[in-house]
Amino acid sequence: MKRLFLNAGLLLMLCQGIALADGGPDARDRKTARKVRVLRELPGYLAPKDSVRTAEKAEDNFKPSIHVGAIVHMFASAEQSGFGGNVADKASDWNKGFSLYRARVLVGGQLSRKGSFFMETDLPSPIGIQLGDSTKNVKVAPILLDCQYEYAFSNAFQLIAGMQLVSSNRNGLQGAAGLMANDFTYFQYPYNLFANSPLQGNFGRDLGVNARGFLLKDKLEYRLGLFTGRNLDGQAPLRIVGRVAYNFLDPEKDYYYAGTKLGAGNTIAWGAGFDTQGSYYNVGTDLFIDKKAGEAGSVTLNAAFQYMTGGTNVNSKYTFARQIPKQTVQFLELGYYFKKSRIQPWVRYENQNISATKEQVGSELIDNFDKAKSSSVYGGGVNYFFNGSATNLRLSYVARKHNVADAGGAYSSKTYGQVWLQVQFFLF
């Protein structure tokens, strides 16, 4: 009898909590179903028939939903020969043209109350003039970029399986529609971009399974994934990628991070992560701040530091020693959004400093190798937002500095520029 009264009291308190909870009828139905399932497991519980019927009805009334959208980046550009990394005899030569840079179709939906999916296509190369190339593409077949299924066991544990964006760094996990600068960081995917890259990526994507969850009142987020990485014979070690992020102010729960929040943010987030496979590893940390700064608008700061190496064991079957030299990468973006005029000026700096070991270089001179491979990118621009991330216009100038050897083998730094005027429209 005592156990029966205890269970009845628990049921009364849970029902009161459900009645007071905010979140709409669907949220209340889900909570009702979950609470009743928990109560059913209590010893000696006699469930009221009405409560059970309500929970079962909530489950039965669920209907799958689907969303379709698109993101398009089109731009006019002028780029000096040599910007892409190839030595240019005439730095004064500029490649000019128009390009359709991104043209993605997005499809997502809720398959069950806890299960959802997301798919995305993209162009494998720009239509029009390609950056760093003088040729013109007129017809490009789309490819499958993302294809993932997510099941949310709880707020603290979710699993995402399939082809997905992989990075231990915040900028590498941002959505293309929410960038502040004209594009992702130049050195974010140097080894994970194409099938012939050391990690055999697909525009920063990889196949695998990723766990994610939120703790400490949603302030702490973790991600830990196992991915295919480089695999030549089916016996490769798995690629392991992990990340933790702590939000000191408002939580961030979107799977793809925002690069700027246009006055709607109240965010100070610090993160750290790692990426490893075989002899390769990459560790780093990042800081993101987006919050109101004065009456005029809000400030956005995004900074990161990474250390990576392919290791020194050249005899290992899955060694990256000759593919990924030891290096550090620094990154900084800073912008200010004027809410009245909807204008956002920004500046950007990136640096890739190569410091290879003798095992990684082989017969080459280490000093010359480091100079030839190191470079930096810096510049800035201004964005105008017609309607937030839905439609906007971006104008930018970015310069890339290389060390270039002359005929006598002496190195000197040369800088090449790029002007970019881009229009974006996005709907999902």
Side-chain angles (χ1 to χ4, degrees), residues 87-99:
V87 177
D89 295 329
K90 294 182 179 180
S92 59
D93 290 344
W94 287 77
N95 299 322
K96 301 173 288 292
F98 300 91
S99 297

Side-chain angles (χ1 to χ4, degrees), residues 355-370:
S355 55
T357 66
K358 61 180 181 179
E359 294 87 355
Q360 296 172 338
V361 173
S363 60
E364 297 183 54
L365 295 175
I366 294 179
D367 190 48
N368 288 351
F369 180 89
D370 292 347

Side-chain angles (χ1 to χ4, degrees), residues 231-253:
N231 198 313
L232 304 175
D233 56 6
Q235 300 177 10
L238 292 174
R239 180 183 176 191
I240 306 172
V241 183
R243 171 178 170 81
V244 293
Y246 188 82
N247 284 274
F248 295 89
L249 301 177
D250 293 345
E252 294 182 289
K253 304 198 72 172

Side-chain angles (χ1 to χ4, degrees), residues 135-362:
T135 60
K136 179 183 178 182
N137 284 346
V138 294
K139 185 170 63 174
V140 176
I143 61 171
L144 186 63
L145 190 64
D146 298 275
C147 184
Q148 58 197 58
Y149 174 76
E150 177 179 352
Y151 192 85
F153 291 89
S154 68
N155 187 56
F157 183 65
Q158 300 133 43
L159 282 179
I160 304 97
M163 179 74 78
Q164 55 193 287
L165 199 58
V166 177
S167 179
S168 59
N169 178 278
R170 180 189 178 96
N171 184 262
L173 292 169
Q174 289 177 196
L179 297 172
M180 180 170 66
N182 57 346
D183 207 354
F184 292 95
T185 61
Y186 202 84
F187 306 118
Q188 181 57 53
Y189 304 113
Y191 307 109
N192 191 38
L193 196 56
F194 304 116
N196 60 357
S197 300
L199 292 166
Q200 293 187 317
N202 180 34
F203 294 92
R205 275 76 176 171
D206 205 349
L207 280 163
V209 60
N210 202 10
R212 180 182 183 229
F214 297 90
L215 306 168
L216 303 179
K217 297 182 179 179
D218 293 340
K219 298 286 188 178
L220 180 67
E221 177 198 15
Y222 73 88
R223 303 186 188 212
L224 181 63
L226 300 175
F227 301 95
T228 306
R230 186 174 185 82
N231 198 313
L232 304 175
D233 56 6
Q235 300 177 10
L238 292 174
R239 180 183 176 191
I240 306 172
V241 183
R243 171 178 170 81
V244 293
Y246 188 82
N247 284 274
F248 295 89
L249 301 177
D250 293 345
E252 294 182 289
K253 304 198 72 172
D254 291 335
Y255 187 73
Y256 296 111
Y257 295 122
T260 182
K261 300 185 179 180
L262 305 179
N266 185 33
T267 306
I268 298 178
W270 170 81
F274 69 91
D275 182 359
T276 182
Q277 183 184 17
S279 64
Y280 153 77
Y281 66 91
N282 178 347
V283 294
T285 183
D286 53 80
L287 175 68
F288 180 78
I289 299 174
D290 191 293
K291 64 191 307 296
K292 183 178 178 182
E295 294 300 320
S298 60
V299 66
T300 300
L301 180 144
N302 198 352
F305 173 86
Q306 295 181 82
Y307 170 85
M308 68 184 83
T309 179
T312 58
N313 185 358
V314 297
N315 298 317
S316 172
K317 186 176 182 179
Y318 275 93
T319 180
F320 292 82
R322 297 289 172 82
Q323 298 172 311
I324 304 177
K326 186 174 72 170
Q327 61 191 274
T328 58
V329 174
Q330 300 88 36
F331 156 68
L332 174 68
E333 283 180 351
L334 179 63
Y336 191 88
Y337 177 68
F338 293 91
K339 60 182 180 181
K340 187 174 182 179
S341 61
R342 293 180 289 181
I343 289 176
Q344 183 183 52
W346 55 268
V347 293
R348 174 191 218 168
Y349 173 76
E350 304 170 54
N351 182 59
Q352 184 184 37
N353 182 37
I354 306 294
S355 55
T357 66
K358 61 180 181 179
E359 294 87 355
Q360 296 172 338
V361 173

